[in-house]
Each structure stands twice: as structure tokens, then as C-alpha cells.
Amino acid sequence: MSNASNDRNADSFFGEVISTYTRAQAIDDGVLIDVGDMAQEAGFKLPVAMTTAAWSDCVDWSADDSNRQVPQDQSGRLWDVLFMASHAIRTHTGQVDRLPFTLYRVPRDGHTRKSELAQLKVVIGPGDRGEPVITILLPNED
């Protein structure tokens, strides 16, 4: 048996890389939202970002929302997300790279006043230099 297949590099197997999109670019573009300072306060040791869809569903809140629905603020809603993500990580047994979790939040729809269950997931993966980073997403996002 020959080891010729082991001698090939990724370019010869897959072809030349056409395009890349880094985590830093995603944060700069607003596709991801860096939640670093509060994530550190919540006990995260790794960089944490949220997708804009997850942020919009579970964190985003304005004074107008408080006037129309219930008094809340973004920092409290972000804390809830980070606390529940941290709790899911701390209480999970085994090793996984993605972990679903739930939390109650008031949907930002202009009229709901009661909390409803929201599904999210936390994913650990490589950052731009291969370092571990955490991303919080909606269940249908990759």
C-alpha cells in the first residue's frame, strides 16, 4: 500500500482557497456581536460572541420596548443569556462542541408581556488563529 495520498496537501486535494471570512470580519460587519466584557463577568474564560439573529431574539431591547411591553434593559437580557449558557456548560457532562440551552425571555414583538421559552445553542470552535472561541446562536444557525 502506498502513502502517496498522505503526501498531498489540502490545496492539491481541495484546490485553491477562493475566499475566507474571519470571525474578526464577522464582528466588524455586525454579523457577530462581541459580548466580551459581560461574558468575562459571567465567568467565561474564552471570547464569546452572539449572532445578530440570537441577539435580536433574546437581547435587543429599547426604551420604546419597555414602554410598549415590560420594563427591561439590554444588559439584563444579555446577562440572562450568558448566565444560562454558562449554566448549561457547567452542568453538562461529557465533551461536545455544541450544546443547546433554553431561557425565558419576553419576545420583542411590541405587545407580549409574559416571558416565553427561547431555544439557543452555544458552540465552541476555532477562532481566526485556531484558538478556542464561543458563539451563541439560534438552533437553526450554523
Side-chain angles (χ1 to χ4, degrees), residues 50-118:
M50 291 181 70
T51 62
T52 54
W55 179 275
S56 178
D57 185 56
C58 294
V59 177
D60 199 16
W61 200 261
S62 69
D64 287 340
D65 296 320
S66 287
N67 292 334
R68 281 190 303 263
Q69 292 182 250
V70 295
Q72 295 188 344
D73 64 25
Q74 270 190 182
S75 63
R77 289 169 62 96
L78 176 57
W79 180 262
D80 292 346
V81 169
L82 294 171
F83 178 84
M84 293 306 293
S86 174
H87 176 73
I89 292 167
R90 284 183 281 111
T91 59
H92 181 75
T93 57
Q95 294 183 342
V96 294
D97 65 348
R98 57 196 63 229
L99 184 63
F101 70 99
T102 58
L103 76 147
Y104 281 93
R105 56 83 181 102
V106 175
R108 187 175 185 230
D109 59 11
H111 57 81
T112 302
R113 296 180 161 288
K114 292 183 74 173
S115 296
E116 296 178 3
L117 198 60

